[in-house]
Amino acid sequence: MNTQTHGTWDAWVLTLLPEVFPGVLGASVVGKALERGCWRLHVEDIRAFATDARRSVDDTPAGGGAGMVMRADVVGAAVDSVAERMPGNCVFLCMSARGERLTQERVKRLSEADGVGILCGRFEGIDQRVLDARGIEEVSVGDFVLAGGEISAMALIEACVRLLPGVMGNGASVGEESFEAGLLEYPQYTRPRIWEGLEIPDVLLSGNHERVRRWRAEEAEAATRKRRPDLWQKKE
């Protein structure tokens, strides 16, 4: 059940690259939902909260080492400014390779809130004191490293927005996607019936809905066992 307290879901993004938004979030069904007002995107330039003439946002890491670290005073001021405008049940996250892995279940919970605040790091990262003092949870979209959090933020937002009421044309399709039942999705086919000598499986053209349902369930289980044994182990 959706527990939103108002009709519009809000995404608040704090970034040093505001010019890259909305990017892919302005296209396809997510972009159309943005145009219709199903959700709102607020982009805050962290550099606007710098206090010196050079608008410095980073400094050398304490203890030495390569690269630069985003300053606690600048990032903290940006977070506080946004937090004052966010509804009480919004969650503040930081996209980070060292964070907890994002799951579909977590995405569903985020989509049921009034929105989410997302802090995008750059350079070697963000001063840990900001994350600790403001209770900002670190979240990862996978076991790999990007140059910054913007692409990950877009992925998280798109995953949430497509679950909002009225965004996807066919609500039934959302319920059959990967991870919805703890399994990967079954393979999909469409016309032409034969392509480069490869045919659509006969069962999908049989018109027998029960046979199709069983085939899809078997294919989903087989794909999960092969590609994600960690998920399959949880099902057993």
Side-chain angles (χ1 to χ4, degrees):
M1 182 177 67
N2 194 292
T3 58
Q4 286 176 283
T5 58
H6 59 72
T8 303
W9 190 86
D10 289 85
W12 306 77
V13 180
L14 288 76
T15 174
L16 292 174
L17 302 176
E19 66 274 12
V20 305
F21 288 89
V24 69
L25 299 175
S28 191
V29 293
V30 174
K32 292 177 181 177
L34 181 62
E35 293 177 357
R36 296 199 309 270
C38 296
W39 69 287
R40 292 185 292 244
L41 176 64
H42 314 271
V43 182
E44 300 285 335
D45 186 355
I46 296 174
R47 199 174 295 278
F49 296 88
T51 57
D52 64 345
R54 296 179 57 249
R55 301 181 73 198
S56 302
V57 297
D58 60 335
D59 210 328
T60 55
M68 304 291 279
V69 177
M70 294 176 66
R71 295 171 52 117
D73 54 348
V74 177
V75 177
V79 169
D80 291 345
S81 175
V82 169
E84 290 177 354
R85 290 172 274 157
M86 292 171 57
N89 73 338
C90 288
V91 178
F92 230 120
L93 306 174
C94 176
M95 308 312 300
S96 169
R98 53 177 269 173
E100 182 178 344
R101 181 78 68 87
L102 184 67
T103 65
Q104 186 67 14
E105 181 58 35
R106 184 66 192 281
V107 166
K108 289 172 68 175
R109 294 200 303 271
L110 291 172
S111 73
E112 292 170 353
D114 286 322
V116 63
I118 306 175
L119 178 57
C120 300
R122 280 272 148 183
F123 314 121
E124 293 303 310
I126 299 168
D127 190 308
Q128 185 66 36
R129 291 173 294 178
V130 178
L131 307 181
D132 294 341
R134 299 298 184 266
I136 299 175
E137 178 186 351
E138 295 178 82
V139 174
S140 170
V141 294
D143 296 337
F144 54 89
V145 180
L146 297 169
E150 288 76 17
I151 292 176
S152 298
M154 290 183 186
L156 187 154
I157 292 170
E158 179 169 298
C160 290
V161 169
R162 62 191 305 279
L163 296 181
L164 299 178
V167 173
M168 298 294 289
N170 183 0
S173 67
V174 175
E176 297 180 358
E177 293 172 337
S178 291
F179 310 114
E180 285 300 317
L183 298 171
L184 300 183
E185 189 178 6
Y186 49 80
Q188 298 278 8
Y189 300 87
T190 188
R191 292 178 291 183
R193 180 170 182 168
I194 301 175
W195 175 77
E196 294 189 355
L198 302 174
E199 299 187 29
I200 296 175
D202 289 338
V203 63
L204 299 180
L205 306 175
S206 67
N208 187 317
H209 297 302
E210 178 57 25
R211 284 186 60 203
V212 171
R213 186 198 64 78
R214 289 199 306 267
W215 181 89
R216 287 175 169 170
E218 292 168 359
E219 289 293 317
E221 292 178 358
T224 306
R225 284 196 301 268
K226 179 180 179 180
R227 302 177 185 179
R228 291 293 302 274
D230 57 319
L231 291 178
W232 182 250
Q233 188 173 12
K234 293 179 181 178
K235 292 289 291 183
E236 291 183 315

